[in-house]
Amino acid sequence: MLAAASLLYVLWRAWRSARAGRVQAETLVRLRITLARIDAMNDQDFEYALSDLLVRDGWTARRVGQQGDQAADVIGEHHRGGLIVLQAKHTKVGGKVGSHVMHQVKGAAGPVHRVDVAVVVTNGSFTRDAKIWGDRHQVHWVDRDWLRTWARNGTPLHDLLRLPDRPAGRTTRLRKVRPLPADHQPEQGAGHDDGPPGEALAAG
């Protein structure tokens, strides 16, 4: 009797875990985040949101940002896009990301993280020099307008950046994405952005 009861309990736990995984996957597929919600996030929540958006787009992704992260906040893998690293720069009203950030990401993307694609993402904007340097040295940038297209409108990042297909084979052995927080719910409609872009660059 005890053995049978234990087996039933194990099966129930497995079913519950599988069901939770399906619910999370279905939730992520519908995920939409407005810029107003992104603006209200802190640096860590912004990094987790970017990881969730990658998973929504079909990537395996995890947040790795912490002290000494060497210009990597999120790392992902995709059967089309290869390996990707995202550096998140969450800003307050009007903040701009400078070219020094692009230099850091470029310097770490290949030698340290061994990724195919490097991207800097901000809810603010980039300086002209940062954009030019990034375009010249293959560091993609996603500013406020592109973030709206990705996060709120649902355009996959690899389509937004027009990433080329890359051969499969390498793996980062990424762990499954962590569960969405209770207040991180998908939005069914495109919604409306409220509030202007902000002012000073936070330490993202």
Side-chain angles (χ1 to χ4, degrees), residues 26-43:
E26 292 169 359
T27 298
L28 284 172
V29 165
R30 301 190 302 271
L31 183 64
R32 297 290 187 274
I33 311 175
T34 64
L35 290 184
R37 289 180 61 198
I38 289 175
D39 290 342
M41 295 177 179
N42 59 32
D43 295 343

Side-chain angles (χ1 to χ4, degrees), residues 89-166:
K89 288 297 179 184
H90 191 267
T91 75
K92 297 181 181 177
V93 187
K96 287 192 174 184
V97 177
S99 57
H100 68 284
V101 175
M102 316 301 274
H103 303 164
Q104 293 169 355
V105 172
K106 179 65 176 180
V112 177
H113 305 296
R114 301 185 182 280
V115 298
D116 302 300
V117 182
V119 189
V120 181
V121 185
T122 182
N123 61 319
S125 59
F126 290 84
T127 64
R128 180 173 178 273
D129 287 345
K131 291 180 180 180
I132 292 174
W133 198 94
D135 290 343
R136 183 176 298 160
H137 297 280
Q138 293 80 52
V139 178
H140 298 274
W141 48 269
V142 175
D143 62 7
R144 189 174 182 84
D145 290 336
W146 281 40
L147 182 60
R148 179 190 296 109
T149 303
W150 180 29
R152 192 195 71 175
N153 298 350
T155 301
L157 184 64
H158 45 272
D159 290 341
L160 183 69
L161 299 180
R162 299 182 180 178
L163 299 181
D165 289 351
R166 298 180 184 274

